[in-house]
Amino acid sequence: MTRTIVESKTKTAIIGFDQPFCVIGERINPTGRKILSEELERGDFSRVEADAIAQVAAGATVLDVNSGAVFSNKMAEDPRYADNNFVEPTLMKELVERVQAVVDVPLCIDSSVPGALENGLAAAEGRPLLNSVTGEEERLELVLPLVKKYNVPVVAISNDDTGISEDPDVRFAVAKKIVERAADFGIPAHDIVVDPLVMPIGAMGTAGLQVFTLVRRLREELGVNTTCGASNISFGLPNRHGINNAFLPMAMAAGMTSAIMNPVALPIGPKKIAEKKAMIEAAGIILPADMDDETFVQLFGMGSTKPRAGSEMTAIRAANFLTNNDPSGTAWILSNREAPKAGQEGRGRAGRAGGRRRG
């Protein structure tokens, strides 16, 4: 049975067909996150640390660490900052060290810059996952020696020098090529985690069927584990969570063993709370003066003012149970157990201390 082992200093995550689905938290990534990128430029890593803690609390078993920041202000001072090959190696080392200081889960070192990959591998404790190699010749020659040198597993993305093909047979052929080239370096198939590339269902109606078919072939013919950027399937569509919640269990049933995704439902901010309160007051509803924001958002079904596990995590946990990768449903039951209310901690049934039955 194929098993990909990823480790931190003290913890192990196993990606495998007979294992619970591996959730790789994606939020430590400044690409497309302007505020985070600006904070990193100022040397402020507080959001990175908070994101790391929140993702692990929500159920991520591996954290992706991406160093693709753009330091716009520093470019004006030093033109070298316009070059990611200059920015990312130093930033990656700092990101890895900061994340490891607040959580102890395996990491996924993520960059298109070889120097950043090597710095991340050198700074990471344990056995991280490397993200990523493609079928492009130049990329194969740069990344596979690093994989061999550090004895780590690697994400293999199914595109090559011709780009991303819409033909799933071509994407399978690229994955097979990467597995074969890795073998030439002495890298076993169980250390290759293939990303078959999920296309947006809004742009290609067969995208879901394609990836399910590809995942089955990758499992049965190449014997490799698989991953994907889970939210790609719903890109550009309304109610993305609804699509993601259906896609993930279906992909798992087809044999997908991990996903790079956001496990956290983001907190409801003051602006949305104020807007909702204004609507309620306009409707003539009088709220108690002492009602706190958390009680308010829960009462009106808005979510929470605190980060918590997203609905995709519920779908994944249910699918783990249904595929017998959660024996006896233990994880499912624990994840759905209500936290004790304030003042009820340590109390048993009916709030009685100790929870003793009557004699």
Side-chain angles (χ1 to χ4, degrees), residues 27-39:
R27 288 193 55 75
I28 303 172
N29 184 347
T31 306
R33 296 183 69 187
K34 185 179 179 182
I35 293 175
L36 176 57
S37 196
E38 289 172 348
E39 289 173 348

Side-chain angles (χ1 to χ4, degrees), residues 14-25:
I14 303 174
I15 305 173
F17 308 137
D18 61 341
Q19 299 293 311
F21 193 73
C22 179
V23 175
I24 303 170

Side-chain angles (χ1 to χ4, degrees), residues 154-232:
V154 64
V155 174
I157 301 178
S158 300
N159 68 279
D160 60 12
D161 299 275
T162 64
I164 300 173
S165 174
E166 293 187 0
D167 185 341
D169 290 333
V170 172
R171 299 207 299 279
F172 177 84
V174 173
K176 184 177 180 182
K177 169 188 172 181
I178 297 172
V179 171
E180 291 172 347
R181 289 291 294 276
D184 292 339
F185 283 85
I187 301 164
H190 64 250
D191 275 341
I192 310 293
V193 181
V194 174
D195 182 347
L197 291 170
V198 174
M199 305 294 190
I201 193 74
M204 181 188 296
T206 59
L209 294 173
Q210 278 194 8
V211 75
F212 303 148
T213 300
L214 259 173
V215 167
R216 289 189 190 99
R217 288 192 68 191
L218 290 165
R219 173 175 176 165
E220 293 168 5
E221 297 181 35
L222 299 184
V224 293
N225 282 306
T226 45
T227 195
C228 71
S231 64
N232 289 354

Side-chain angles (χ1 to χ4, degrees), residues 14-24 59-61 226-228 230 247-249 251-253 255-261 312-313 315-317 319-321 323 325-326:
I14 303 174
I15 305 173
F17 308 137
D18 61 341
Q19 299 293 311
F21 193 73
C22 179
V23 175
I24 303 170
T61 47
T226 45
T227 195
C228 71
F247 168 74
L248 282 162
M252 292 166 66
M256 188 168 283
T257 48
S258 69
I260 301 171
M261 55 177 280
E312 286 88 344
M313 293 301 299
I316 287 169
R317 288 180 176 126
N320 280 333
F321 191 6
T323 54
N325 285 325
D326 176 13

Side-chain angles (χ1 to χ4, degrees), residues 64-228:
D64 189 83
V65 179
N66 185 298
S67 56
V70 176
F71 290 170
S72 302
N73 294 325
K74 288 188 175 182
M75 287 181 196
E77 305 167 9
D78 187 338
R80 290 180 299 174
Y81 281 96
D83 183 2
N84 278 57
N85 289 288
F86 176 74
V87 173
E88 290 198 40
T90 301
L91 178 60
M92 177 63 84
K93 180 177 183 295
E94 182 77 6
L95 285 169
V96 168
E97 291 173 348
R98 294 279 185 155
V99 171
Q100 288 180 153
V102 294
V103 295
D104 184 22
V105 296
L107 302 183
C108 177
I109 309 301
D110 187 354
S111 177
S112 60
V113 174
L117 293 177
E118 180 140 33
N119 274 13
L121 289 171
E125 299 172 330
R127 190 175 195 250
L129 178 63
L130 192 66
N131 191 7
S132 57
V133 67
T134 66
E136 298 165 289
E137 287 299 324
E138 182 180 2
R139 190 73 177 172
L140 288 166
E141 293 300 322
L142 285 170
V143 176
L144 290 181
L146 282 178
V147 175
K148 180 63 177 178
K149 176 182 176 181
Y150 286 91
N151 184 30
V152 294
V154 64
V155 174
I157 301 178
S158 300
N159 68 279
D160 60 12
D161 299 275
T162 64
I164 300 173
S165 174
E166 293 187 0
D167 185 341
D169 290 333
V170 172
R171 299 207 299 279
F172 177 84
V174 173
K176 184 177 180 182
K177 169 188 172 181
I178 297 172
V179 171
E180 291 172 347
R181 289 291 294 276
D184 292 339
F185 283 85
I187 301 164
H190 64 250
D191 275 341
I192 310 293
V193 181
V194 174
D195 182 347
L197 291 170
V198 174
M199 305 294 190
I201 193 74
M204 181 188 296
T206 59
L209 294 173
Q210 278 194 8
V211 75
F212 303 148
T213 300
L214 259 173
V215 167
R216 289 189 190 99
R217 288 192 68 191
L218 290 165
R219 173 175 176 165
E220 293 168 5
E221 297 181 35
L222 299 184
V224 293
N225 282 306
T226 45
T227 195
C228 71

